[in-house]
Amino acid sequence: NAGVTQTPKFRILKIGQSMTLQCAQDMNHNYMYWYRQDPGMGLKLIYYSVGAGITDKGEVPNGYNVSRSTTEYFPLRLELAAPSQTSVYFCASREAGQDYGYTFGSGTRLTVV
Amino acid sequence: GNSVTQMEGPVTLSEEAFLTINCTYTATGYPSLFWYVQYPGEGLQLLLKATKADDKGSNKGFEATYRKETTSFHLEKGSVQVSDSAVYFCARTGSARQLTFGSGTQLTVLP
């Protein structure tokens, strides 16, 4: 099982550029999440999805967009990159039911200069 | 709302020392509780979980007991190893089908 796969692992963007962070899972999980982790801080939820075609905002959605056309894929879009978006981004998925924890991807380290 | 509070880090221990990392949670609903571990340069991995009061989660020598009366889920290990050096996150399930994480505790184990 590949689990949750994130690409790219590293990226440097210039201010104002756009990019899409890719996330794919092969576990047929309905729930998927995007978090950002800033140095020395915990995780902050950006967006989440409870199934294909359904997305919702988390704690820090400004500057980001998501789509969920299939169960497997949950890309995160940055339209106009800003230095404040320099962070490590984690995608996660889980089964329905609150007893299940998340499976995380290995992260994308993004620097905006 | 739902929140999780972890003890401030960083924590530095010598090999074979006893470890406790404190975690408390807000007492709303009947959450499941989790500990995650993050090794350098990697994503978070589930370490252990407990789904109801008095349950004990355990894995790789780590343990945590779901204490409803004190709203706590402290992580313990009797004898830490250098390879346990990592960041540890406590988490609870919330109302919006998501996990709420604590801020993380950096553990360094010295040989």
Side-chain angles (χ1 to χ4, degrees):
Chain A
N1 276 345
V4 177
T5 302
Q6 289 185 242
T7 56
K9 291 191 181 301
F10 304 94
R11 184 71 186 269
I12 298 175
L13 279 182
K14 294 185 178 179
I15 294 171
Q17 286 186 320
S18 62
M19 78 164 292
T20 299
L21 282 67
Q22 301 292 345
C23 176
Q25 53 94 5
D26 62 356
M27 298 170 285
N28 203 32
H29 287 172
N30 282 329
Y31 293 13
M32 296 187 75
Y33 307 83
W34 274 105
Y35 284 87
R36 59 177 288 171
Q37 184 181 32
D38 299 319
M41 305 290 286
L43 285 83
K44 294 185 177 180
L45 182 66
I46 305 171
Y47 270 95
Y48 68 100
S49 169
V50 300
I54 306 170
T55 62
D56 210 345
K57 296 178 180 179
E59 183 183 1
V60 290
N62 291 343
Y64 307 95
N65 275 301
V66 294
S67 60
R68 186 94 183 273
S69 57
T70 66
T71 300
E72 295 81 6
Y73 301 103
F74 189 42
L76 178 71
R77 179 81 177 164
L78 283 71
E79 290 294 349
L80 291 170
S84 61
Q85 294 178 305
T86 294
S87 189
V88 181
Y89 291 84
F90 289 103
C91 180
S93 72
R94 72 174 182 90
E95 296 183 58
Q98 79 161 14
D99 290 354
Y100 296 99
Y102 290 0
T103 299
F104 280 87
S106 57
T108 295
R109 184 175 295 276
L110 175 67
T111 302
V112 181
V113 297
Chain B
N2 301 319
S3 67
V4 175
T5 303
Q6 285 183 237
M7 68 183 286
E8 297 269 333
V11 174
T12 302
L13 297 173
S14 296
E15 204 165 26
E16 299 183 2
F18 184 85
L19 168 71
T20 299
I21 300 177
N22 290 339
C23 171
T24 57
Y25 62 94
T26 49
T28 51
Y30 302 91
S32 293
L33 302 173
F34 304 83
W35 276 101
Y36 281 82
V37 58
Q38 185 180 31
Y39 299 103
E42 298 184 10
L44 281 70
Q45 302 173 25
L46 179 63
L47 181 60
L48 54 83
K49 70 176 184 181
T51 59
K52 61 183 186 296
D54 300 324
D55 269 1
K56 177 185 283 188
S58 61
N59 186 25
K60 299 180 181 179
F62 291 89
E63 293 183 340
T65 301
Y66 191 142
R67 302 284 189 199
K68 188 176 180 182
E69 63 276 12
T70 55
T71 63
S72 65
F73 192 55
H74 304 323
L75 183 68
E76 297 182 335
K77 186 174 185 181
S79 176
V80 293
Q81 306 300 311
V82 172
S83 58
D84 294 326
S85 297
V87 181
Y88 293 82
F89 291 91
C90 185
R92 60 156 286 165
T93 48
S95 58
R97 310 185 186 103
Q98 60 189 256
L99 289 182
T100 299
F101 289 87
S103 57
T105 302
Q106 171 77 56
L107 170 66
T108 302
V109 180
L110 302 176

